[in-house]
Amino acid sequence: MNPPAPPPTLLHALTGHAVFGRLPAAERERLAAQFALQAFVSDDVIAAPGTLPERLALVVAGRVTLHDTMHDVDVAAMPGDLFGAGAAPRSGAMAWSATADGDATVAFLPAAELEAWCAGHPLLGFFLAAPAVDGDAARGADPHLNLMSTPVRALLKRPPVTLPPTTPIREAAQLMRDQRVSSVLLVERDHLFGLVTDRDLRNRALAAGVDPQAPVLEIATVAPLAIDVSRPAFDALLLMARHNIHHVPVLDGQRVVGMITATDVTEQHSTSAVYLVGDIHKQSTVEGLVAAAAKVKTLQRSLAAAQASAYTTGHIVTAITDALTVRLLQLAEAKLGPPPVDYAWVAAGSQARSEQTARSDQDNCMVLDDRYDEAVHGAYFEALANIVNDGLNACGYVYCPGEMMAKTAQWRQPQRRWREYFHRWTDEPEPKALMLTCVFFDLRCIHGRAELLDDLRRDVLQHTQGNRIFLAYMVGNALTHRPPIGLFRGISVIRSGEHRGTVDLKHSGIVPIVDLARVYALAGGHEAVNTHDRLLVAGESREISDDSARDLRDAFEFLGTLRIRHQSRQIAAGVEPDNYLRLEELSNFERDQLKDAFGVVQTLQNVLAQRYRI
């Protein structure tokens, strides 16, 4: 099927452009079909700080103001001007933003597409810089990495707009109109009471027929989720994505200092994490959720094109899985009625560790309140689990081959039974028990009463800390996954079968580091679940040296990045993503790094084996 014909205005703009006008007419038409045309009105945010390198932008009509937030400098972009990926500004691009100066039309080309065009058309490469793909330059162009190093404080654009909780609704609406804000904070004596958005005014006040003179607190979100001013901006993005919120108050201690919105931390496009989660929570059918979940591969590819770190990508992709899970639970409860006893829906494995990629199966379980009675409550929770597990499978998170899912009765139990499970596994660590611990010692509550899991986790960590016999068995189990380093320190590839000639990045590199980090966490009694965070804590608590912890974190990040790039190339080619990498995909430099990463893992495995005399 041929792509739709590009709008005449865009094709005209490309034809008359100093760079794109040099392409043959047929190629120019093909390029125009890959641009996305978007109209803006005055003061619309076209690119938030940190997002400029994600896309190449061509001003088709109107005027755009580029603003350097670091040096407080404005530059006007007129029709025919380019900005963003591969174009101006070439340095410090993360500090620039773009807004419409009156009505404007802008055409966008994703950075990954620009890279492909520059590679295939030397003429374009002469005038445009293809987005960096390696090294420090690439890291500087990654908006999500930028959010990791940027404090929330840097995103604040104005003092907070506040009102006392007793203010009439009409006055609140008038203030929001006059201040041109979409939300207002309810504050009294420097204490945050609530948050009111324009959506609250529409849905909770106007549509509900509430008296405009009633106190605004009546339509507010009371005790809203907030973030400290010193936290990384990336934490704000995850908070929004996981809880489907677009406004987050910012606190300095207990004092309200501002407000950030979704547009402050990410662009408004269909595959941005915050907006994708918002789309998920609007769905009322499994079919709608399946359509939303299909965008995850595009999201991962976009993150890879922006050179997002594996740590960042894992958290963002996992946030989408969390949102799908929560929405399925909400739909299930709407169908079945409220749960008869409290429960915690718990993710296990890579979802619990926030380390998912576009290719993931599902591992989950349910921890039920000890008031649970199988005869009375069993049918409800079986139906709930089936709805969610079947829905996740339809969304592309395939059933766990080992049936470690909540729909399996064994993994849908009251807290007291889970406590018995963990104690038996640690006291009698036979092979199956060790396999189960590798799944169920990585747990995170997704929905429901989190205390049910928190209490269980504390009990388990007290039972494993210093338990050298159990830890020795765990180390022995971890050593079943060895890096593929050959006799002469070369990388050994798979010799036969479907994946002959490849390296299994997951089981030969990533899983061994996950296993090491889990042992460190259990030995030290640490509650961290994410592998990077576990290694960080292990170094700080002297479970291993700081240097060894840093080496393992770097190796884990490198291997994860290789996997994400490999899968993104497969997605772009229309191939189902996997974990099997051919060494020919790597440069000589990357092969040396891969060998070094495997060597780090092998060395730390040997150290742990000696410590526990395996």
Side-chain angles (χ1 to χ4, degrees):
M1 181 181 295
N2 293 325
T9 53
L10 174 56
L11 189 55
H12 178 76
L14 292 176
T15 302
H17 194 270
V19 176
F20 298 118
R22 297 170 181 264
L23 290 173
E27 287 293 277
R28 197 160 53 244
E29 289 187 20
R30 191 166 69 88
L31 174 62
Q34 295 185 353
F35 270 92
L37 204 63
Q38 191 170 350
F40 299 90
V41 298
S42 185
D43 294 330
D44 274 356
V45 176
I46 297 172
T51 65
L52 212 62
E54 292 185 3
R55 304 183 291 182
L56 174 67
L58 167 65
V59 182
V60 176
R63 174 186 169 114
V64 173
T65 297
L66 300 172
H67 178 69
D68 183 348
T69 57
M70 183 177 297
H71 302 102
D72 195 25
V73 173
D74 286 341
V75 176
M78 308 300 288
D81 287 342
L82 296 171
F83 61 89
R90 292 289 175 88
S91 61
M94 302 301 293
W96 288 80
S97 63
T99 55
D101 188 0
D103 292 344
T105 303
V106 182
F108 297 101
L109 183 69
E113 300 294 343
L114 173 64
E115 181 184 345
W117 275 86
C118 286
H121 296 76
L123 181 66
L124 292 184
F126 182 80
F127 292 100
L128 296 170
V133 294
D134 291 300
D136 295 337
R139 289 183 170 271
D142 171 16
H144 299 93
L145 286 173
N146 189 62
L147 291 179
M148 289 290 293
S149 59
T150 301
V152 168
R153 187 190 313 274
L155 300 182
L156 297 179
K157 298 176 180 177
R158 59 182 298 168
V161 179
T162 65
L163 282 173
T166 55
T167 302
I169 292 172
R170 184 188 300 277
E171 288 186 25
Q174 291 170 339
L175 177 68
M176 290 168 64
R177 178 199 63 196
D178 296 342
Q179 294 290 325
R180 302 179 69 183
V181 293
S182 60
S183 61
V184 64
L185 297 169
L186 306 185
V187 176
E188 192 163 72
R189 296 181 181 177
D190 284 337
H191 181 74
L192 177 64
F193 277 82
L195 163 68
V196 174
T197 67
D198 48 8
R199 181 176 297 181
D200 296 328
L201 291 172
R202 181 178 68 246
N203 296 346
R204 298 180 181 179
L206 184 61
V210 176
D211 183 357
Q213 295 304 313
V216 70
L217 185 63
E218 290 188 10
I219 64 166
T221 298
V222 179
L225 293 171
I227 193 165
D228 189 81
V229 70
S230 62
R231 297 296 300 168
F234 183 65
D235 287 0
L237 183 149
L238 287 180
L239 186 68
M240 293 176 185
R242 285 187 171 140
H243 297 279
N244 188 32
I245 55 178
H246 286 201
H247 299 79
V248 176
V250 179
L251 305 179
D252 188 353
Q254 294 298 315
R255 185 172 62 89
V256 178
V257 294
M259 169 79 80
I260 56 174
T261 67
T263 54
D264 294 324
V265 295
T266 186
E267 279 192 303
Q268 297 190 42
H269 56 80
S270 62
T271 57
S272 117
V274 175
Y275 289 91
L276 182 50
V277 167
D279 184 44
I280 288 168
H281 282 273
K282 293 175 185 175
Q283 303 305 320
S284 58
T285 65
V286 172
E287 291 74 18
L289 292 175
V290 170
K295 298 177 182 177
V296 172
K297 290 181 179 178
T298 305
L299 172 62
Q300 177 169 312
R301 189 181 172 202
S302 297
L303 291 169
Q307 295 297 292
S309 67
Y311 180 90
T312 297
T313 301
H315 277 78
I316 291 176
V317 171
T318 303
I320 307 304
T321 313
D322 292 353
L324 289 164
T325 305
V326 170
R327 189 57 183 151
L328 284 166
L329 284 162
Q330 291 170 342
L331 294 177
E333 289 186 16
K335 178 179 180 180
L336 302 173
V341 297
D342 289 338
Y343 73 91
W345 183 278
V346 179
S350 61
Q351 185 183 0
R353 298 191 303 271
S354 295
E355 294 168 5
Q356 286 191 307
T357 65
R359 179 177 176 84
S360 297
D361 57 6
Q362 53 175 304
D363 296 303
N364 44 62
C365 60
M366 294 182 77
V367 181
L368 306 168
D369 188 276
D370 279 340
R371 294 174 296 154
Y372 172 77
D373 183 330
E374 170 66 25
V376 179
H377 309 133
Y380 177 94
F381 286 107
E382 180 181 5
L384 182 79
N386 280 325
I387 290 172
V388 178
N389 287 148
D390 293 347
L392 287 172
N393 182 67
C395 289
Y397 301 91
V398 298
Y399 296 125
C400 172
E403 299 187 342
M404 296 178 192
M405 299 173 291
K407 69 184 302 177
T408 305
Q410 184 180 4
W411 311 127
R412 190 177 64 248
Q413 294 292 330
Q415 189 188 58
R416 62 179 180 275
R417 180 61 59 83
W418 276 103
R419 189 171 281 110
E420 292 172 4
Y421 284 168
F422 284 118
H423 284 194
R424 185 169 70 247
W425 294 341
T426 52
D427 292 340
E428 303 172 17
E430 43 85 25
K432 184 176 181 181
L434 292 170
M435 182 269 293
L436 293 172
T437 59
C438 290
V439 176
F440 290 116
F441 276 25
D442 298 349
L443 299 175
R444 181 168 58 85
C445 181
I446 304 300
H447 186 71
R449 188 180 160 202
E451 293 85 355
L452 290 170
L453 177 62
D454 295 340
D455 294 343
L456 185 64
R457 190 197 308 280
R458 282 190 291 270
D459 180 64
V460 169
L461 289 174
Q462 288 176 2
H463 202 68
T464 61
Q465 187 175 9
N467 187 338
R468 291 188 61 84
I469 294 177
F470 166 71
L471 291 171
Y473 277 101
M474 284 292 290
V475 171
N477 186 70
L479 296 183
T480 60
H481 293 112
R482 285 284 196 171
I485 298 293
L487 181 63
F488 300 103
R489 305 296 295 173
I491 299 176
S492 300
V493 298
I494 297 172
R495 297 296 183 186
S496 60
E498 179 185 359
H499 303 294
R500 179 181 178 182
T502 68
V503 173
D504 185 346
L505 289 174
K506 179 179 178 180
H507 292 99
S508 296
I510 292 172
V511 168
I513 301 178
V514 170
D515 289 342
L516 287 171
R518 185 184 299 111
V519 171
Y520 298 142
L522 293 174
H526 307 308
E527 294 192 9
V529 179
N530 175 266
T531 299
H532 177 280
D533 297 344
R534 279 175 167 172
L535 293 173
L536 194 63
V537 174
E540 293 172 348
S541 64
R542 310 308 296 171
E543 291 296 325
I544 54 174
S545 69
D546 282 337
D547 287 344
S548 295
R550 184 167 51 250
D551 287 345
L552 274 178
R553 292 199 307 274
D554 289 347
F556 189 67
E557 174 63 33
F558 177 71
L559 291 166
T561 299
L562 283 186
R563 176 167 69 160
I564 289 166
R565 291 183 187 173
H566 166 69
Q567 292 182 353
S568 295
R569 287 191 291 269
Q570 290 178 310
I571 292 169
V575 177
E576 190 65 24
D578 61 28
N579 298 298
Y580 297 96
L581 176 76
R582 292 192 175 277
L583 295 181
E584 303 89 83
E585 296 182 43
L586 304 179
S587 66
N588 289 334
F589 178 72
E590 287 173 324
R591 288 190 198 186
D592 288 341
Q593 285 185 298
L594 182 59
K595 189 186 303 181
D596 290 342
F598 285 151
V600 167
V601 177
Q602 187 179 67
T603 297
L604 270 298
Q605 282 183 329
N606 293 339
V607 169
L608 209 57
Q610 288 297 318
R611 179 183 302 176
Y612 289 97
R613 298 177 183 271
I614 300 303

